[in-house]
Amino acid sequence: MPLETPARIVSELASRGYNAEREAVTRIADTPNPSVTLERALETLPDEALKLTTDHVESVIEATEGAGSQPSTEPDSGDEITGTPANPHPSASTGAGAAPSTEPGTSAPPETGGSRDVDTSLRAIDVANDMTGQSTGTGEYSDFVAVFRDRYEKLASKLRGRVNHRPTDAIENMGGGSDAALIGMVSDIRSTASGHWLVELEDTNGTFPCLVMKDRPIADLVQQLLMDEVIAVEGTLADDAGILFVDSLYFPDVPRTHSPSTADRHVQAALISDVHVGSQEFMEDAWHRFTDWLHTPEAETVEYLLIAGDMVEGVGIYPEQDEELDIIDIYDQYRAFSEYLKEVPGDMEIRMIPGNHDAVRLAEPQPGFDEELRDIMSAHDAQVHSNPSLVTVEGVTVLMYHGVSLDEVIAELPDEEASYEEPHKAMYQLLKKRHVAPQYGGHTRLAPEDRDYLVMEEVPDVFHTGHVHKLGWGEYHNVVALNSGCWQAQTEFQKSVNIDPDAGFAPILDLDTLDMTVRKFT
């Protein structure tokens, strides 16, 4: 096998029981014949040595081809080759509004479930914010108070550096005409008879009314507000100090200076969602073409599969759903999904979260599957985490969230800010608010836990959702936002609510550049 890439060189070294310094591998890959260089380096390596050093490789290159005949690069570090990037660097990624690049999948049938020539020793994956098995909420009033306090404190901490915040009770005691700033949770939004906006903000001490004049540039921002999100405002108190005239409004937001991390080798991840096995409209042929393609040499660098919920169609999700089911038992649906998952190459790392069609509670955060379902879902040792979860793949943090709140965002905000045709723009709003489901009391159900698992405490490099069955991606403050479509053709129910799904697509993310390619398998 040719050793034209660092990954193949590391694989060959690992198969022989050797480790290597990062720059040693790079230097071997830069030579005209890496296979020959590696053999000579190992032949001359002392018997007791277990690590190939840069100095030793340099001496081999100089001895065989003459000093100075090869391009030289100064080493960044002496780190050993591992799956975790030592020096993550900014990436270039597709811009918002970029047209999908679609290429047909191939359909040469491989040996089902077989492994490819992939070096799994380089992999590194970590999961944070997984509340599976950690649920503490009892549903009592005090639990809800605690989770909203936690939300407020976490998001307020991201805003305190931008305004000179005073609590509501302190503002009430200030004199009229004073400059003031407040960080609060939106408890009410209404328009006045004159067309201005009155926004009630609540902190841990009370509430205070804030008036945004209709002719101010920030008036458009009020139309982006959702109930229960946390914002900061600053302005001037009225003469009687009973209301704050707002001059500026701030969201927790993603810093514009955010620099995403990337993998230190060329490796890719397939990001999909909404497979809906068990539905009569599950696109079995498209799935077969997708898994066939994963076995081809073209897909050899696709080492990860991340599924953002709704693996199965479920039972009793919407009226008369049973008439559209191909498999009527929920456990049989998961058994069938597990069989379909076996078609994926056995050496792929698979991580999944549940969605609203899966057999877990509807209230978010949703825990991963119970032991009975995990036993059924045993194919390839696929791991199921809670919804949402923060999955770090080779240094790239991917926030996986199924996306039920997108329905609410799209319904509440203006079309230019959020729509089903461009679902990634609705995701931009969630990034701006630093919360995956800010509005409570509507369609998105909240389970009170010991903390708010739905806050985006850490800025992700990639935000991956599903649920709305529409394909769309873009970039917001250097964060890749992707809604990955589905694997289910239009159902009768979807026709009744005017949903035209984007089905049979597989977004492929380059983890080393964060570039996106979308492949179509229909």
Side-chain angles (χ1 to χ4, degrees), residues 20 24 39 64 70 85 90 153 158 184 191-192 232 258-259 274 279 298-299 304 328 340 396 406 416 479 492 517:
E39 288 299 328
T64 56
Q70 295 291 326
E153 291 299 333
K158 303 182 185 305
S191 60
T192 69
H258 172 65
S259 179
D274 297 273
S279 167
E298 188 178 19
Y304 299 92
I328 60 174
Y340 285 115
V396 179
L406 294 176
E416 61 269 19
V479 176
E492 289 300 320
T517 302

mmCIF file of all heavy atoms in Angstrom, residues 20 24 39 64 70 85 90 153 158 184 191-192 232 258-259 274 279 298-299 304 328 340 396 406 416 479 492 517:
data_model
loop_
_atom_site.group_PDB
_atom_site.id
_atom_site.type_symbol
_atom_site.label_atom_id
_atom_site.label_comp_id
_atom_site.label_asym_id
_atom_site.label_seq_id
_atom_site.Cartn_x
_atom_site.Cartn_y
_atom_site.Cartn_z
ATOM 1 N N ALA A 20 5.724 7.706 16.831
ATOM 2 C CA ALA A 20 6.546 8.646 16.081
ATOM 3 C C ALA A 20 6.250 10.074 16.501
ATOM 4 O O ALA A 20 5.136 10.389 16.935
ATOM 5 C CB ALA A 20 6.303 8.494 14.577
ATOM 6 N N ALA A 24 8.435 13.924 12.417
ATOM 7 C CA ALA A 24 9.092 12.793 11.758
ATOM 8 C C ALA A 24 8.183 12.230 10.662
ATOM 9 O O ALA A 24 8.636 11.924 9.550
ATOM 10 C CB ALA A 24 9.427 11.713 12.778
ATOM 11 N N GLU A 39 11.145 2.556 5.389
ATOM 12 C CA GLU A 39 11.861 1.293 5.573
ATOM 13 C C GLU A 39 13.292 1.531 6.031
ATOM 14 O O GLU A 39 13.787 0.863 6.938
ATOM 15 C CB GLU A 39 11.845 0.494 4.267
ATOM 16 C CG GLU A 39 10.494 -0.097 3.910
ATOM 17 C CD GLU A 39 9.988 -1.078 4.956
ATOM 18 O OE1 GLU A 39 10.815 -1.758 5.596
ATOM 19 O OE2 GLU A 39 8.755 -1.157 5.122
ATOM 20 N N THR A 64 20.793 9.216 2.567
ATOM 21 C CA THR A 64 20.381 8.562 1.325
ATOM 22 C C THR A 64 20.295 9.490 0.124
ATOM 23 O O THR A 64 20.491 9.075 -1.012
ATOM 24 C CB THR A 64 19.012 7.887 1.520
ATOM 25 O OG1 THR A 64 18.075 8.860 1.967
ATOM 26 C CG2 THR A 64 19.109 6.767 2.539
ATOM 27 N N GLN A 70 16.328 17.736 0.070
ATOM 28 C CA GLN A 70 14.908 17.656 0.380
ATOM 29 C C GLN A 70 14.445 18.960 1.001
ATOM 30 O O GLN A 70 15.198 19.613 1.719
ATOM 31 C CB GLN A 70 14.638 16.508 1.382
ATOM 32 C CG GLN A 70 14.937 15.139 0.817
ATOM 33 C CD GLN A 70 13.952 14.760 -0.246
ATOM 34 O OE1 GLN A 70 12.790 15.113 -0.177
ATOM 35 N NE2 GLN A 70 14.425 14.063 -1.268
ATOM 36 N N PRO A 85 -5.479 17.220 18.113
ATOM 37 C CA PRO A 85 -4.613 18.235 17.527
ATOM 38 C C PRO A 85 -3.869 19.011 18.600
ATOM 39 O O PRO A 85 -4.470 19.493 19.560
ATOM 40 C CB PRO A 85 -5.604 19.152 16.778
ATOM 41 C CG PRO A 85 -6.831 18.343 16.607
ATOM 42 C CD PRO A 85 -6.878 17.416 17.770
ATOM 43 N N PRO A 90 -7.277 28.035 12.418
ATOM 44 C CA PRO A 90 -8.540 28.455 11.818
ATOM 45 C C PRO A 90 -8.768 27.755 10.493
ATOM 46 O O PRO A 90 -7.826 27.384 9.798
ATOM 47 C CB PRO A 90 -8.351 29.971 11.624
ATOM 48 C CG PRO A 90 -7.268 30.349 12.569
ATOM 49 C CD PRO A 90 -6.370 29.139 12.655
ATOM 50 N N GLU A 153 -27.778 32.928 35.191
ATOM 51 C CA GLU A 153 -26.404 33.170 35.651
ATOM 52 C C GLU A 153 -25.385 32.849 34.563
ATOM 53 O O GLU A 153 -24.420 33.587 34.351
ATOM 54 C CB GLU A 153 -26.110 32.350 36.908
ATOM 55 C CG GLU A 153 -26.870 32.807 38.143
ATOM 56 C CD GLU A 153 -26.541 34.241 38.526
ATOM 57 O OE1 GLU A 153 -25.418 34.719 38.220
ATOM 58 O OE2 GLU A 153 -27.414 34.902 39.126
ATOM 59 N N LYS A 158 -21.893 36.030 30.346
ATOM 60 C CA LYS A 158 -21.353 36.328 29.021
ATOM 61 C C LYS A 158 -21.664 37.761 28.595
ATOM 62 O O LYS A 158 -21.149 38.234 27.580
ATOM 63 C CB LYS A 158 -21.916 35.337 27.988
ATOM 64 C CG LYS A 158 -21.620 33.891 28.350
ATOM 65 C CD LYS A 158 -22.126 32.917 27.322
ATOM 66 C CE LYS A 158 -21.911 31.483 27.781
ATOM 67 N NZ LYS A 158 -20.515 31.176 28.139
ATOM 68 N N GLY A 184 -31.204 40.906 31.842
ATOM 69 C CA GLY A 184 -32.410 40.240 32.315
ATOM 70 C C GLY A 184 -32.945 39.217 31.343
ATOM 71 O O GLY A 184 -32.551 39.154 30.171
ATOM 72 N N SER A 191 -46.262 45.763 22.143
ATOM 73 C CA SER A 191 -46.164 47.066 21.500
ATOM 74 C C SER A 191 -47.108 48.045 22.180
ATOM 75 O O SER A 191 -48.180 47.659 22.671
ATOM 76 C CB SER A 191 -46.497 46.959 20.009
ATOM 77 O OG SER A 191 -47.810 46.465 19.831
ATOM 78 N N THR A 192 -46.722 49.309 22.199
ATOM 79 C CA THR A 192 -47.546 50.352 22.796
ATOM 80 C C THR A 192 -48.505 50.901 21.750
ATOM 81 O O THR A 192 -48.417 50.574 20.560
ATOM 82 C CB THR A 192 -46.667 51.482 23.348
ATOM 83 O OG1 THR A 192 -46.062 52.178 22.237
ATOM 84 C CG2 THR A 192 -45.575 50.931 24.265
ATOM 85 N N ALA A 232 -28.986 41.910 27.346
ATOM 86 C CA ALA A 232 -28.533 43.088 28.108
ATOM 87 C C ALA A 232 -28.988 44.341 27.378
ATOM 88 O O ALA A 232 -29.003 44.374 26.140
ATOM 89 C CB ALA A 232 -27.022 43.089 28.264
ATOM 90 N N HIS A 258 -14.286 34.425 17.216
ATOM 91 C CA HIS A 258 -14.198 32.969 17.435
ATOM 92 C C HIS A 258 -13.377 32.316 16.337
ATOM 93 O O HIS A 258 -13.627 32.501 15.144
ATOM 94 C CB HIS A 258 -15.589 32.353 17.460
ATOM 95 C CG HIS A 258 -15.568 30.850 17.484
ATOM 96 N ND1 HIS A 258 -15.065 30.125 18.544
ATOM 97 C CD2 HIS A 258 -15.970 29.933 16.560
ATOM 98 C CE1 HIS A 258 -15.159 28.845 18.274
ATOM 99 N NE2 HIS A 258 -15.709 28.693 17.079
ATOM 100 N N SER A 259 -12.393 31.530 16.745
ATOM 101 C CA SER A 259 -11.536 30.816 15.805
ATOM 102 C C SER A 259 -11.745 29.314 16.003
ATOM 103 O O SER A 259 -11.379 28.764 17.049
ATOM 104 C CB SER A 259 -10.068 31.176 16.039
ATOM 105 O OG SER A 259 -9.221 30.484 15.152
ATOM 106 N N ASP A 274 -32.700 12.116 11.123
ATOM 107 C CA ASP A 274 -34.061 11.813 10.683
ATOM 108 C C ASP A 274 -34.113 10.672 9.665
ATOM 109 O O ASP A 274 -34.566 10.837 8.538
ATOM 110 C CB ASP A 274 -34.713 13.078 10.120
ATOM 111 C CG ASP A 274 -34.862 14.156 11.182
ATOM 112 O OD1 ASP A 274 -35.879 14.148 11.886
ATOM 113 O OD2 ASP A 274 -33.934 14.979 11.322
ATOM 114 N N SER A 279 -41.118 3.854 9.004
ATOM 115 C CA SER A 279 -42.090 4.573 8.189
ATOM 116 C C SER A 279 -42.203 3.911 6.818
ATOM 117 O O SER A 279 -41.219 3.404 6.276
ATOM 118 C CB SER A 279 -41.656 6.028 8.014
ATOM 119 O OG SER A 279 -42.398 6.676 7.000
ATOM 120 N N GLU A 298 -13.290 6.256 -2.319
ATOM 121 C CA GLU A 298 -13.577 7.687 -2.250
ATOM 122 C C GLU A 298 -14.000 8.107 -0.845
ATOM 123 O O GLU A 298 -13.779 9.252 -0.435
ATOM 124 C CB GLU A 298 -14.686 8.027 -3.250
ATOM 125 C CG GLU A 298 -14.943 9.509 -3.414
ATOM 126 C CD GLU A 298 -16.010 9.769 -4.446
ATOM 127 O OE1 GLU A 298 -16.780 8.838 -4.763
ATOM 128 O OE2 GLU A 298 -16.071 10.902 -4.944
ATOM 129 N N ALA A 299 -14.592 7.183 -0.097
ATOM 130 C CA ALA A 299 -15.096 7.503 1.243
ATOM 131 C C ALA A 299 -14.186 6.970 2.346
ATOM 132 O O ALA A 299 -14.589 6.927 3.508
ATOM 133 C CB ALA A 299 -16.504 6.934 1.408
ATOM 134 N N TYR A 304 -16.267 8.967 10.702
ATOM 135 C CA TYR A 304 -17.246 9.228 11.762
ATOM 136 C C TYR A 304 -18.638 9.393 11.154
ATOM 137 O O TYR A 304 -18.796 9.960 10.074
ATOM 138 C CB TYR A 304 -16.885 10.502 12.540
ATOM 139 C CG TYR A 304 -15.545 10.429 13.228
ATOM 140 C CD1 TYR A 304 -14.390 10.881 12.596
ATOM 141 C CD2 TYR A 304 -15.435 9.909 14.516
ATOM 142 C CE1 TYR A 304 -13.161 10.810 13.217
ATOM 143 C CE2 TYR A 304 -14.209 9.837 15.153
ATOM 144 C CZ TYR A 304 -13.072 10.293 14.502
ATOM 145 O OH TYR A 304 -11.856 10.224 15.121
ATOM 146 N N ILE A 328 -44.952 -1.583 13.013
ATOM 147 C CA ILE A 328 -45.845 -0.967 13.990
ATOM 148 C C ILE A 328 -45.345 -1.073 15.425
ATOM 149 O O ILE A 328 -45.839 -0.361 16.302
ATOM 150 C CB ILE A 328 -47.263 -1.570 13.899
ATOM 151 C CG1 ILE A 328 -47.222 -3.082 14.179
ATOM 152 C CG2 ILE A 328 -47.874 -1.290 12.532
ATOM 153 C CD1 ILE A 328 -48.617 -3.717 14.246
ATOM 154 N N TYR A 340 -29.953 -1.932 9.528
ATOM 155 C CA TYR A 340 -29.495 -0.974 8.519
ATOM 156 C C TYR A 340 -28.149 -0.375 8.907
ATOM 157 O O TYR A 340 -27.299 -0.110 8.053
ATOM 158 C CB TYR A 340 -30.531 0.141 8.336
ATOM 159 C CG TYR A 340 -31.749 -0.283 7.560
ATOM 160 C CD1 TYR A 340 -33.000 -0.309 8.163
ATOM 161 C CD2 TYR A 340 -31.650 -0.663 6.227
ATOM 162 C CE1 TYR A 340 -34.135 -0.700 7.456
ATOM 163 C CE2 TYR A 340 -32.773 -1.060 5.510
ATOM 164 C CZ TYR A 340 -34.006 -1.077 6.128
ATOM 165 O OH TYR A 340 -35.118 -1.474 5.411
ATOM 166 N N VAL A 396 -12.470 18.932 16.951
ATOM 167 C CA VAL A 396 -13.571 19.748 16.431
ATOM 168 C C VAL A 396 -14.813 19.508 17.290
ATOM 169 O O VAL A 396 -15.299 18.380 17.379
ATOM 170 C CB VAL A 396 -13.880 19.400 14.960
ATOM 171 C CG1 VAL A 396 -15.045 20.231 14.442
ATOM 172 C CG2 VAL A 396 -12.644 19.623 14.099
ATOM 173 N N LEU A 406 -36.568 24.636 16.613
ATOM 174 C CA LEU A 406 -36.534 25.368 15.342
ATOM 175 C C LEU A 406 -37.942 25.689 14.856
ATOM 176 O O LEU A 406 -38.162 26.732 14.232
ATOM 177 C CB LEU A 406 -35.776 24.558 14.289
ATOM 178 C CG LEU A 406 -34.283 24.344 14.543
ATOM 179 C CD1 LEU A 406 -33.692 23.441 13.475
ATOM 180 C CD2 LEU A 406 -33.547 25.673 14.592
ATOM 181 N N GLU A 416 -37.256 36.668 7.098
ATOM 182 C CA GLU A 416 -35.870 36.930 6.693
ATOM 183 C C GLU A 416 -34.870 36.464 7.748
ATOM 184 O O GLU A 416 -33.684 36.302 7.463
ATOM 185 C CB GLU A 416 -35.658 38.412 6.399
ATOM 186 C CG GLU A 416 -35.903 39.353 7.564
ATOM 187 C CD GLU A 416 -37.342 39.853 7.629
ATOM 188 O OE1 GLU A 416 -38.219 39.208 7.012
ATOM 189 O OE2 GLU A 416 -37.576 40.879 8.290
ATOM 190 N N VAL A 479 -18.786 29.716 12.983
ATOM 191 C CA VAL A 479 -19.375 28.445 13.398
ATOM 192 C C VAL A 479 -20.171 27.880 12.218
ATOM 193 O O VAL A 479 -21.027 28.564 11.656
ATOM 194 C CB VAL A 479 -20.305 28.626 14.607
ATOM 195 C CG1 VAL A 479 -20.978 27.299 14.968
ATOM 196 C CG2 VAL A 479 -19.545 29.178 15.807
ATOM 197 N N GLU A 492 -48.078 11.642 4.226
ATOM 198 C CA GLU A 492 -49.369 12.319 4.110
ATOM 199 C C GLU A 492 -49.495 13.419 5.152
ATOM 200 O O GLU A 492 -50.043 14.493 4.882
ATOM 201 C CB GLU A 492 -50.517 11.310 4.267
ATOM 202 C CG GLU A 492 -50.668 10.360 3.090
ATOM 203 C CD GLU A 492 -50.946 11.094 1.782
ATOM 204 O OE1 GLU A 492 -51.719 12.079 1.805
ATOM 205 O OE2 GLU A 492 -50.379 10.698 0.745
ATOM 206 N N THR A 517 -19.251 19.110 1.875
ATOM 207 C CA THR A 517 -19.718 18.576 0.600
ATOM 208 C C THR A 517 -20.995 17.794 0.861
ATOM 209 O O THR A 517 -21.042 16.993 1.795
ATOM 210 C CB THR A 517 -18.669 17.645 -0.033
ATOM 211 O OG1 THR A 517 -17.451 18.353 -0.230
ATOM 212 C CG2 THR A 517 -19.167 17.124 -1.382
#
